[in-house]
Amino acid sequence: MDKEEFLKEYGEDYGYPNGPKSIDEIRATEFKRLQNGTVYLDHAGATLYSELQMEAILKDLTSSVYGNPHSQSDSSLATSDIVREARQQVLEYFNASPKDYKCIFTSGATAALKLVGEAFPWDHRSCFMYTMENHNSVLGIREYALSQGAAAFAIDIEEELHHSGICDAHSVKMSQHPVQRRKDARSLERDPTGTSFNLFAFPSECNFSGLRFKPELVKIIKEDSKKLLESSAFSRGCWMILIDAAKGCATKPLDLSKCPADFVVISFYKLFGYPTGLGALIVRSDVSKLLKKKYFGGGTVAAAFADMDYVKRREGVEECFEDGTISFLNIASIRYGFKILNSLTISAIARHTASLASYVKKTLLALKHENGASVCTLYGSHPLKVFHDESGPVVSFNLKRPDGSWVGYREVEKLASLSKIHLRTGCFCNPGACAKYIGLSHSELRSNIEAGHVCWDDNDLIHGKPTGAARISFGYMSTYEDAKKFIDFITSFFVTLRSTSGNGNLLSAGSIHFSSKGCETELSMTYYHLKSITIYPIKSCGGFSVGSWQLCSTGLLLDREWLLKSLTGEVLTQKKVPKMCLLSTFIDLSQEIMFVESPHCPVKLEINLKANSYRAAIEEIDMHGQRYEVQCYGNEVNLWFSNAIGLPCTLLRCSTSKQSVCMSKSRGVALCRDVESKLNFPNEAQFLLISEESISELNNRLSLNAPKGTSEKQVRVDSMRFRPNLVISGGEPYAEDKWRNLRIGNNYFTSIGGCNRCQMINFAHQAGQVQKSNEPLATLASYRRVKGKILFGILLKYENGDELGDDKKTWLQVGQEVLPNLD
């Protein structure tokens, strides 16, 4: 669908036709930083602030004097006025009367939820009930409930449709999950005949699926809980309702005059991008009296004795719960965000963002592979009988290949990043919704955890099943062009096309087609030779090339035998510290010295290779599923490297006295593919080999893909960009993909597959500076992708290593013939 067709269908809702500015004017004047082709689609995570909004905030803060409000000076009174106005503005946004509701500022939505959990009047008769579609920060309230002897359980809510169309307890079906209790929790000393209080929590909009729960749920739970929970011991007691509106209120705020929730939590950066670190708890005035707050801090007390157990708390609800000095400068900033929302109107924002989400969902569902298989599975868009209104501007999905296998969400995120598309992947801190919509059982979830999967990691597929999803979401400044670029990205990279070769094979855009037909003849007529040898003594730092070099049981002698580790224990790489590529190394075997240079250090570092040259400690580290014994260096060496990369770190050397061993699979997911050989500190294998012809073919593609008519410099790469140990010459581009093993001189090597490239190859250094672009990885992704991996070069295992001893040495030499075969 092009823009003209899009506007025919969505033109009445898209782009603020009756607003002060059109969407194109908004983007041109208030979001100029997006004009470089960036497509931001993670507004559910954090929306973007307007540049005019920030200019207004800066003008205010640089022309006004705001003092600590806990005083009576003019600047303090000015702050108090601003805070009072801000509270009123928040209540107006939710159509809440100041008589019925109070606005308590917090450090964020999570802090507001925590405040409710720790101050709620739990006892052993209470229960905490919550829908499966809740954020982790809501689930955390469960800890307070269980620790005080209360029960907790999750529910699923479905709607039973009736012809009357009336939304009441008769139209709601509630499915209860197992009740949780803590056996060792102590019950509070409460009158058993008194009123017990229960808390029900749900999101106004699920941040995983985008489904919005009907606000009528508030009155139904409050008034008809006995009917809904008639078979439960928790049908008695007073029910209070908590709504997590952090996501939903950006496009559809609650009307608290019609939806009398007791607690509503919000986060301002979700609303209008800035400020971060500021949220609010909107609480009913009568309910606030039931909250029991223990801690007191500056501003929350009217008087306190230092040497006696005496404290008089302030009477105002806001003052009683806002510990310390509130973030008054951030609070002063929110009026400029509300000004934007009010000028566009929230109803127009809702229609605008809904039109984009609807267009994307409709288009994704229509995508088919050439064999007719669906490309995309959407979550929250299929007709579940859930108790909801409509969906918010969220599109969560996973992709499938033509054979029905899943595409990992990390592959989607990686390729989207190369296309300058910002989206979100994982479970979005919503484990209940994630498990519910993807269909993950408790046993599968436990199995995934035991396999090493945690939030935000790279384990996107375990046993062939997704552990999370990809998500895009729209904000008030999103455009059709953003949505169209995303659709084009999905189509280009994930929709399978029929081969034009006429052989009927299905080829995915960007995939590699391996064929060995005629290869034996080709190999017999081709002369390959070793063009260069490069050693990288320190992992992720610069290497040096030689005419010949000794082989050993771990590969090339001294290759990746050292690494840098942060003071927190993290192994440092160029992906984390790009400056590491500026460190150059050279080893003089005759002197047994390693020389290291950095543009940030005036003195060249010399490291003696003899084992008895230092007396530092020995320790063990784990990396890539391997355990290593390492030797540490003294303060002088560590200080040099810390200055070189601008980060405190230590240098470690792999000890030759103890072979690395593979960790148990139960300890984590091993990344190293060569688990049988002796290894120093490579990511996957002892050697990386590439060919000059493959580099040349890649550069031809880079020149064709270079943007025409722009000032952008054409990217051209040499072999060292890929950090190979061995560069060969001869034959056709990517002939090495088909090799099973090879011989160089009298040394034999086995291929263990293609090397999966990451964004590290996009780093280039010039004049002591590290520059990053999307190339060459973006171009490689367009034609060298196999099931989530972008392959370039092959990894090798040295087969003669076990035969080498102290009295037997073998060398590789530039110019030696390379003899591959396919057996």
Side-chain angles (χ1 to χ4, degrees), residues 722-741:
F722 299 90
R723 297 177 61 81
N725 296 112
L726 309 175
V727 178
I728 62 167
S729 182
E732 297 295 321
Y734 308 113
E736 62 272 15
D737 289 339
K738 313 179 193 75
W739 297 353
R740 299 292 177 263
N741 49 65

Side-chain angles (χ1 to χ4, degrees), residues 36 133 149 154 225 238 288 351 361 396 408 464 664 771:
N36 62 354
E133 298 90 345
S225 59
C238 178
S288 66
R351 293 193 302 271
K361 290 178 180 179
S396 293
S664 169
Q771 298 176 337

Side-chain angles (χ1 to χ4, degrees), residues 505-808:
N505 290 324
L506 291 175
L507 298 181
S508 172
S511 69
I512 304 172
H513 179 52
F514 294 97
S515 173
S516 59
K517 184 178 180 180
C519 289
E520 292 83 355
T521 303
E522 173 195 333
L523 288 173
S524 65
M525 301 172 59
T526 304
Y527 173 74
Y528 298 92
H529 68 277
L530 187 58
K531 188 69 179 292
S532 71
I533 303 169
T534 305
I535 295 89
Y536 306 90
I538 305 174
K539 181 179 178 66
S540 257
C541 295
F544 64 98
S545 296
V546 294
S548 61
W549 199 256
Q550 183 180 339
L551 290 167
C552 64
S553 59
T554 59
L556 289 167
L557 182 67
L558 303 175
D559 184 54
R560 288 164 292 186
E561 193 161 307
W562 289 263
L563 62 73
L564 295 176
K565 186 181 75 170
S566 73
L567 299 188
T568 60
E570 182 180 27
V571 174
L572 301 180
T573 66
Q574 279 189 36
K575 283 186 284 187
K576 302 165 186 173
V577 188
K579 282 184 179 180
M580 292 178 69
C581 71
L582 301 177
L583 273 64
S584 61
T585 57
F586 175 74
I587 290 178
D588 188 325
L589 289 178
S590 63
Q591 297 185 60
E592 296 191 83
I593 292 177
M594 176 169 66
F595 301 93
V596 191
E597 292 185 87
S598 165
H600 301 291
C601 296
V603 179
K604 180 189 299 185
L605 181 65
E606 296 184 12
I607 297 178
N608 196 315
L609 302 185
K610 296 178 181 179
N612 60 0
S613 63
Y614 51 91
R615 300 177 182 273
I618 294 178
E619 60 182 58
E620 287 191 354
I621 64 170
D622 296 329
M623 186 180 74
H624 300 315
Q626 302 282 326
R627 180 169 296 147
Y628 297 87
E629 185 176 274
V630 295
Q631 295 172 321
C632 308
Y633 284 82
N635 291 335
E636 184 178 351
V637 170
N638 294 331
L639 181 60
W640 190 95
F641 280 101
S642 298
N643 292 332
I645 67 172
L647 181 72
C649 63
T650 59
L651 180 69
L652 303 177
R653 183 181 185 182
C654 186
S655 174
T656 56
S657 63
K658 184 176 181 180
Q659 178 184 347
S660 58
V661 293
C662 185
M663 291 171 58
S664 169
K665 291 183 179 180
S666 64
R667 294 282 302 275
V669 179
L671 299 178
C672 185
R673 284 153 69 180
D674 186 2
V675 296
E676 298 178 356
S677 303
K678 292 181 180 180
L679 299 169
N680 286 331
F681 297 127
N683 284 354
E684 296 188 282
Q686 293 175 331
F687 298 86
L688 169 63
L689 177 147
I690 64 173
S691 77
E692 280 195 330
E693 287 71 25
S694 300
I695 290 287
S696 178
E697 201 273 346
L698 170 59
N699 279 318
N700 289 337
R701 289 179 180 264
L702 288 170
S703 63
L704 293 174
N705 293 343
K708 304 295 189 294
T710 67
S711 58
E712 290 187 39
K713 186 177 179 181
Q714 179 180 325
V715 176
R716 188 170 183 83
V717 297
D718 61 18
S719 58
M720 290 302 104
R721 180 73 74 92
F722 299 90
R723 297 177 61 81
N725 296 112
L726 309 175
V727 178
I728 62 167
S729 182
E732 297 295 321
Y734 308 113
E736 62 272 15
D737 289 339
K738 313 179 193 75
W739 297 353
R740 299 292 177 263
N741 49 65
L742 63 146
R743 177 165 63 90
I744 306 176
N746 294 320
N747 298 290
Y748 292 87
F749 304 85
T750 297
S751 171
I752 57 175
C755 180
N756 184 23
R757 312 313 307 214
C758 66
Q759 294 199 14
M760 188 168 161
I761 65 174
N762 289 339
F763 294 133
H765 56 91
Q766 294 180 348
Q769 297 295 320
V770 180
Q771 298 176 337
K772 182 183 177 182
S773 68
N774 286 334
E775 296 291 4
L777 193 58
T779 294
L780 283 174
S782 68
Y783 75 107
R784 295 287 302 169
R785 188 162 52 91
V786 177
K787 291 192 174 182
K789 296 180 179 180
I790 303 171
L791 303 180
F792 192 83
I794 60 173
L795 300 169
L796 300 178
K797 172 185 176 182
Y798 183 40
E799 294 294 350
N800 304 62
D802 293 336
E803 303 173 7
L804 298 180
D806 294 336
D807 57 341
K808 184 178 180 181

Side-chain angles (χ1 to χ4, degrees), residues 47 65 127 150 243 262 308 415 572 645 795 815:
T47 198
V65 179
C127 87
I243 301 180
D262 299 288
M308 287 182 63
L415 296 173
L572 301 180
I645 67 172
L795 300 169

